[in-house]
Amino acid sequence: MRRLTLALPGNEELAHSLAQACGSEVGGIEIRRFPDGESYVRLHGDPLGRPVDLVCTLARPDPQFLSLVFAADAARELGASEVNLVAPYLAYMRQDKRFQEGESVTSLSFARLVSSTFDKLLTVDPHLHRHPTLSAVYTIPTKALHAAPLLADWIVQHVEKPLVVGPDEESEQWVGAIAARIGVPHAVLRKTRHGDRSVDIDAPDLSAWRDRTPVLVDDIASSGRTLAMAAHKLVEQGMRRPECVVVHALFAEDAWTQLAPLFFRITSTDAVPHASNRIALAPLFAQALLSGQTDPCG
Ligand code: R5P
């Protein structure tokens, strides 16, 4: 029986590409507010006896999450053989520790809620920092897909003589892999974070690469401060105006208007719908869903 793909509002484009790549049927989810602010959720499409893939990127998780749970529960009650969450951007991965007394470790609470609602979780490049793997926090089968090969292929096709640059030490593994895949050099900057919107960046001497186009690569652009500071450091050294390639285009508040003038071009995957999306993730998700392979549970 064909799978059923259902998009939460705002995720229709990726859901359609995913359904096309998987050969699944596309249904719909109707969501509206009752006068008192509660949510009304109705599935359009019959889940009976087949896997249902709910597509919902979690870039703005708080207003969406309850409707997502209601839709998943409805699919299960209506007979879905499994209910999966395709969340290209997985929220609440960054508060992975109690930094100050009394703080909520939201990555753990969020993982518990998702694990009690879905059978499987598929995502792309979750922000794993102090949690080594998704299975360290999620109790359902998960699949963390990697966009690096897609980023590398985009860079080699669109940028002349690239120098792949990571804005902080955390990005070393990424930029190293991207540069190795396309046979170009890479460099890594050093970042010190002072607050949500305050970072300092130090750059090594990059003068040997002045004839190249720097391509800043990061997993997330949120406040945009990391990329902005990194771009300034490159230009201060007389490098060309950089390109920027990110996986998750969150661009919170005024980040996009601050960043756009600093770069020759900003490119992102379609993990979070945005005008900068140029790299499609549907084939990656389709392959994972059809092969059924997940990482072991913790
Ligand atoms: C942090 O470690 C990540 O890799 C990103 O560099 C970070 O989340 C970007 O955040 P922002 O855009 O707020 O500087």
Side-chain angles (χ1 to χ4, degrees):
M1 194 176 240
R2 286 167 84 201
R3 319 178 67 89
L4 177 63
T5 306
L6 297 174
L8 270 283
N11 296 272
E12 292 80 1
E13 222 169 290
L14 179 63
H16 274 88
S17 313
L18 180 61
Q20 210 166 19
C22 287
S24 50
E25 186 185 324
V26 189
I29 304 180
E30 182 186 340
I31 298 180
R32 64 179 173 80
R33 295 267 175 213
F34 287 110
D36 60 5
E38 291 185 359
S39 298
Y40 168 91
V41 176
R42 180 179 178 196
L43 306 188
H44 293 281
D46 185 4
L48 187 63
R50 54 179 165 169
V52 173
D53 304 314
L54 284 172
V55 182
C56 184
T57 203
L58 291 165
R60 310 275 181 267
D62 292 15
Q64 284 176 318
F65 192 69
L66 263 186
S67 308
L68 181 61
V69 171
F70 295 153
D73 285 355
R76 195 177 301 284
E77 286 157 16
L78 292 168
S81 58
E82 60 182 51
V83 183
N84 305 316
L85 173 59
V86 176
Y89 176 70
L90 183 59
Y92 285 114
M93 287 302 290
R94 283 178 284 178
Q95 181 90 33
D96 54 5
K97 177 183 159 181
R98 185 166 292 113
F99 298 94
Q100 302 191 59
E101 206 180 319
E103 282 179 348
S104 164
V105 184
T106 50
S107 58
L108 298 179
S109 303
F110 194 69
R112 179 174 53 78
L113 294 170
V114 170
S115 298
S116 64
T117 302
F118 292 94
D119 293 308
K120 283 184 205 157
L121 163 68
L122 289 87
T123 189
V124 173
D125 294 314
H127 192 78
L128 292 166
H129 185 36
R130 273 161 285 257
H131 299 310
T133 57
L134 281 181
S135 56
V137 265
Y138 282 79
T139 55
I140 50 174
T142 55
K143 187 76 197 167
L145 299 161
H146 299 293
L150 301 177
L151 269 47
D153 295 348
W154 186 90
I155 292 169
V156 79
Q157 284 161 24
H158 296 90
V159 183
E160 205 188 324
K161 289 193 83 183
L163 166 70
V164 182
V165 183
D168 51 31
E169 279 112 336
E170 270 177 56
S171 61
E172 164 91 61
Q173 37 169 344
W174 275 77
V175 293
I178 290 174
R181 181 177 169 100
I182 56 179
V184 302
H186 75 278
V188 175
L189 316 184
R190 280 181 311 280
K191 175 167 84 178
T192 311
R193 186 174 282 283
H194 304 294
D196 293 350
R197 292 173 190 76
S198 168
V199 298
D200 276 332
I201 300 241
D202 287 319
D205 179 9
L206 299 171
S207 50
W209 310 117
R210 279 218 188 99
D211 63 331
R212 292 192 165 259
T213 306
V215 184
L216 269 164
V217 176
D218 208 352
D219 57 346
I220 302 173
S222 179
S223 72
R225 298 321 297 158
T226 300
L227 290 167
M229 288 304 291
H232 284 304
K233 292 292 166 179
L234 297 176
V235 172
E236 268 173 22
Q237 289 205 26
M239 305 289 291
R240 293 181 194 162
R241 204 151 146 243
E243 294 258 4
C244 172
V245 182
V246 296
V247 180
H248 302 293
L250 301 188
F251 297 119
E253 299 165 350
D254 64 345
W256 176 252
T257 45
Q258 297 293 327
L259 286 173
L262 305 178
F263 290 94
F264 173 74
R265 171 171 47 185
I266 300 177
T267 297
S268 61
T269 75
D270 56 3
V272 180
H274 187 264
S276 59
N277 292 171
R278 289 188 192 90
I279 301 172
L281 294 175
L284 205 60
F285 279 113
Q287 200 183 18
L289 281 169
L290 294 177
S291 74
Q293 282 178 353
T294 50
D295 300 329
C297 305

